[in-house]
């Protein structure tokens, strides 16, 4: 695909031969955060920093913050709620995505 | 010009010999009647050291075509062959080959489809893979099985093309018949067929993603890109046929003519039955009828302009389909021919016949019947589907 054009601006003439992608790892540019209808929030008072949320996150988008607590990268987080479902201490709650 | 001596060879073995001379790198295939002799001979060549190639004996045709994808994607010259049910089993993978623009060459020994089970020849298998995005060329004799297989590699691998190519040879009528033909030698083929260089092959040092997931905002663009590319291969196909003519003295064209000058009625055929149709044309010409024959050598990309030019001066065009489109239009070839001519200001009446199914021969006399009945249908109309050579 042609470099750095938005998907909506790519024409059929821009498609590479065989529709191959010649930039390795460019799936990272693909924003899935806008699929979200609910978003997780972490209650640091209940969090024991076990990391089970990060292990279960199917998007791999939950990371440590500087203090060792966990947070989601909302560019990718789809709001699936698996982290909240798996959290042993119910430190994560799913709430409506703000418009 | 080719000065090699005439030899006698079965059509399947002639195709295998062309593949050997093309110095193919990988053959991945599963045997199926009536194609078996092609890959059996190639396996023998590899085992005997006559051909240095990887021969992958896979467990099904689906796997055969899948192995060919991987092989071709690394930049290896790749061949396979199949027929009938085998072509159907690899169906979904055929789209991947053209979508990825992998120049695989495949011989297809055209065969009827079950049920009832038939291993004999017709074009049902071809028509089911019509829209897979492959270049498709029909041979009508053993010589062409050899020649067009060599042309197929040259066409497929050209940087302006990079599409897979099927060479169709009618099951048994071509695959199993020993005919006199001229081969080419290794030096001649080396001069005709340059090494295959894939523009971005699978390579760990220069990684690319092939066959990626495509979202609705891009899929249509990808398909238009591929369709436009396939359509634009036409000049290069003609160029390769011309280059082959310089080498061999045998000139192929997307649409070929036989005694079409001043003809008011034309037959249209594909594959081995063309030679029988020629006999019928000779007979009709002898008795004074102005009848000729056009043969579609190239099935995809469809040769619209050549077909329109070839048929514009005749009054009746009689099309033979060796395939039934059940409860549909007369036959795939006939309906495509009609569609191609519909918008022409000057066009013939088209009459379609279905015959030659599941290994049934059609005689020159039956082609004469088609011409005579075709004129009646053209003037008065006929059944939605007219069969020829069917009892009762």
């Amino acid at each position: 695909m042609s470099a750095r054009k938005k998907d909506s601006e790519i024409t059929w003439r821009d498609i590479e031969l065989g529709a191959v992608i010649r930039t390795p790892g460019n799936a990272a540019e693909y924003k899935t955060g806008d699929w979200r209808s609910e978003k997780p929030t972490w209650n640091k008072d209940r969090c024991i920093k076990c990391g089970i949320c990060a292990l279960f996150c199917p998007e791999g988008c939950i990371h440590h913050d500087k203090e060792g607590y966990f947070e989601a990268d909302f560019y990718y987080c789809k709001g699936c709620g698996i982290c909240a479902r798996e959290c042993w201490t119910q430190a994560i709650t799913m709430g409506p995505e703000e418009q | 010009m080719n000065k090699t001596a005439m030899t006698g060879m079965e059509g399947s073995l002639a195709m295998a010999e062309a593949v050997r001379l093309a110095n193919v790198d990988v053959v991945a295939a599963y045997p199926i009647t009536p194609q078996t002799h092609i890959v059996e001979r190639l396996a023998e060549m590899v085992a005997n050291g006559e051909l240095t190639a990887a021969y992958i004996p896979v467990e099904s045709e689906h796997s055969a075509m899948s192995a060919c994808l991987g092989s071709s994607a690394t930049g290896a010259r790749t061949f396979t062959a199949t027929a009938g049910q085998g072509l159907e089993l690899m169906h979904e993978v055929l789209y991947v080959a053209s979508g990825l623009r992998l120049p695989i060459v495949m011989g297809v020994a055209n065969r009827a489809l079950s049920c009832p089970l038939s291993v004999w020849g017709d074009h049902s298998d071809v028509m089911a893979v019509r829209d897979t995005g492959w270049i498709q060329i029909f041979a009508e004799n053993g010589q062409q099985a050899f020649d067009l297989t060599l042309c197929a590699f040259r066409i497929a691998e050209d940087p302006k093309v990079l599409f897979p190519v099927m060479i169709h040879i009618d099951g048994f009528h071509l695959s199993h018949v020993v005919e006199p033909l001229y081969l080419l030698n290794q030096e001649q083929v080396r001069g005709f067929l340059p090494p295959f260089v894939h523009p971005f092959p699978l390579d760990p040092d220069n990684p690319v993603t092939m066959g990626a997931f495509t979202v609705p905002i891009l899929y249509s663009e990808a398909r238009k890109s591929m369709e436009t590319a396939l359509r634009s291969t036409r000049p290069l196909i003609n160029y390769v046929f011309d280059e082959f003519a310089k080498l061999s003295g045998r000139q192929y064209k997307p649409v070929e003519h036989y005694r079409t000058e001043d003809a008011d009625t034309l037959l249209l055929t594909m594959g081995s039955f063309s030679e029988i149709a020629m006999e019928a044309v000779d007979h009709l010409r002898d008795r004074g009828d102005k009848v000729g024959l056009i043969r579609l050598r190239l099935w995809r990309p469809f040769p619209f302009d050549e077909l329109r030019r070839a048929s514009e001066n005749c009054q009746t065009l009689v099309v033979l389909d060796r395939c039934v489109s059940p409860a549909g239009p007369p036959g795939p070839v006939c309906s495509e021919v009609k569609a191609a001519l519909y918008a022409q200001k000057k066009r013939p009446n088209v009459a379609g016949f279905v015959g030659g199914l599941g290994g049934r021969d059609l005689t020159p006399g039956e082609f004469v019947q088609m011409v005579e009945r075709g004129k009646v249908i053209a003037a008065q109309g006929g059944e939605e589907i007219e069969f020829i050579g069917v009892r009762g």
Side-chain angles (χ1 to χ4, degrees):
Chain A
M1 310 288 169
S2 65
R4 304 294 167 250
K5 271 191 183 180
K6 282 184 190 169
D7 285 355
S8 59
E9 292 169 354
I10 292 173
T11 75
W12 67 269
R13 294 173 197 278
D14 297 322
I15 303 289
E16 284 279 12
L17 184 122
V20 304
I21 297 169
R22 299 177 70 184
T23 317
N26 74 350
E29 295 168 19
Y30 188 57
K31 185 177 183 180
T32 50
D34 55 6
W35 299 14
R36 202 170 53 241
S37 60
E38 289 192 317
K39 70 189 296 184
T41 51
W42 274 257
N43 179 346
K44 289 184 180 176
D45 293 339
R46 297 186 72 93
C47 177
I48 57 170
K49 302 181 181 176
C50 69
I52 201 87
C53 55
L55 282 174
F56 270 87
C57 175
E59 201 61 30
C61 71
I62 297 177
H63 309 285
H64 285 282
D65 67 10
K66 285 174 187 165
E67 299 169 65
Y69 292 106
F70 288 84
E71 61 187 9
D73 181 338
F74 288 109
Y75 188 81
Y76 300 115
C77 172
K78 298 170 181 169
C80 69
I82 288 174
C83 53
R85 170 77 169 69
E86 297 297 331
C87 179
W88 296 3
T89 61
Q90 286 92 47
I92 306 171
T93 51
M94 299 300 291
E97 177 69 23
E98 289 163 24
Q99 295 303 311
Chain B
M1 293 286 279
N2 170 37
K3 300 293 183 195
T4 54
M6 183 182 275
T7 186
M9 192 176 278
E10 188 190 89
S12 291
L13 304 190
M15 183 177 272
E17 181 62 11
V19 174
R20 186 189 71 78
L21 287 164
N23 197 19
V24 75
D25 298 309
V26 175
V27 179
Y30 191 84
I32 182 169
T33 304
Q35 162 276 134
T36 304
H37 291 186
I38 303 168
V39 296
E40 216 169 52
R41 177 73 187 113
L42 285 166
E44 187 179 55
M45 287 167 170
V46 172
N48 290 348
E50 299 165 65
L51 170 63
T52 306
Y55 187 95
I56 311 174
V58 289
E59 73 275 30
S60 75
E61 287 83 358
H62 192 283
S63 302
M65 187 46 62
S66 299
C68 287
L69 295 183
S71 158
S72 186
T74 66
R77 181 167 288 164
T78 303
F79 179 82
T80 188
T82 192
Q85 309 300 135
L87 189 60
E88 297 313 300
L89 185 52
M90 62 171 64
H91 189 102
E92 62 163 330
V93 195
L94 298 172
Y95 289 84
V96 184
S98 58
L100 291 180
R101 308 284 301 276
L102 297 174
I104 299 159
V105 172
M106 175 159 68
V108 182
N110 311 135
R111 167 180 156 171
L113 296 177
S114 295
C115 185
L117 175 64
S118 167
V119 297
W120 288 275
D122 73 24
H123 294 167
S124 302
D125 56 356
V126 188
M127 296 305 153
V129 299
R130 185 187 65 174
D131 295 334
T132 52
W134 284 55
I135 293 170
Q136 303 194 44
I137 303 171
F138 272 81
E140 70 187 42
N141 55 39
Q143 182 70 65
Q144 294 183 8
F146 177 81
D147 292 349
L148 295 171
T149 301
L150 287 172
C151 290
F153 284 107
R154 174 78 186 268
I155 293 166
E157 296 170 3
D158 190 285
K160 296 193 194 102
V161 178
L162 289 168
F163 271 99
V165 178
M166 287 182 209
I167 299 298
H168 294 293
I169 61 170
D170 287 340
F172 292 104
H173 285 103
L174 295 189
S175 65
H176 284 58
V177 172
V178 177
E179 290 184 85
L181 51 90
Y182 295 98
L183 301 174
L184 296 173
N185 65 38
Q186 189 67 75
E187 282 311 305
Q188 290 171 309
V189 172
R190 199 169 287 135
F192 175 69
L193 189 59
F196 168 36
V197 181
H198 193 292
F200 20 86
L202 287 180
D203 174 3
D205 295 329
N206 297 289
V208 294
T209 301
M210 292 186 177
F213 176 85
T214 304
V215 286
I217 204 167
L218 287 172
Y219 184 83
S220 302
E221 281 68 24
R223 294 306 281 175
K224 175 161 179 168
S225 165
M226 177 275 202
E227 197 282 334
T228 307
L230 182 57
R231 198 170 284 271
S232 66
T233 59
R234 287 296 323 282
L236 196 283
I237 294 171
N238 288 359
Y239 171 76
V240 171
F241 284 161
D242 292 347
E243 289 295 295
F244 189 80
K246 286 181 200 163
L247 174 69
S248 67
R250 296 183 289 276
Q251 176 76 57
Y252 298 107
K253 291 180 178 170
V255 174
E256 294 178 15
H257 298 223
Y258 182 73
R259 303 188 75 171
T260 55
E261 66 290 349
D262 78 0
D264 56 34
T265 304
L266 290 174
L267 280 162
L268 186 148
T269 52
M270 297 200 303
S272 63
F273 282 23
S274 303
E275 296 195 342
I276 303 155
M278 285 182 209
E279 276 198 48
V281 167
D282 288 345
H283 171 76
L284 288 163
R285 285 277 181 183
D286 286 349
R287 76 178 198 194
D289 293 3
K290 292 182 175 176
V291 177
L293 170 69
I294 51 181
R295 300 104 86 193
L296 290 190
R297 179 80 42 242
L298 186 63
W299 174 231
R300 282 293 185 276
F302 193 86
F304 289 100
D305 291 342
E306 290 89 338
L307 176 72
R308 287 167 185 155
R309 277 201 301 275
S311 58
E312 66 188 353
N313 292 321
C314 75
Q315 283 139 40
T316 307
L317 180 59
V318 179
V319 181
L320 172 67
D321 265 282
R322 293 189 68 193
C323 174
V324 188
S325 173
V333 181
C334 184
S335 50
E336 292 214 5
V337 166
K338 282 182 176 174
L341 300 179
Y342 183 76
Q344 301 302 104
K345 288 199 177 79
K346 191 179 171 196
R347 59 177 157 82
N349 291 314
V350 180
F353 289 89
V354 171
L357 302 179
R360 176 70 58 86
D361 286 326
L362 284 179
T363 62
E366 283 167 322
F367 278 96
V368 171
Q369 280 177 34
M370 271 187 267
V371 169
E372 289 167 352
R373 171 80 185 138
K375 286 180 182 175
V376 174
I377 296 171
Q380 302 168 12
E383 299 293 322
E384 202 74 64
I385 292 192
E386 296 265 347
F387 284 89
I388 183 80
V390 179
R391 291 181 297 277

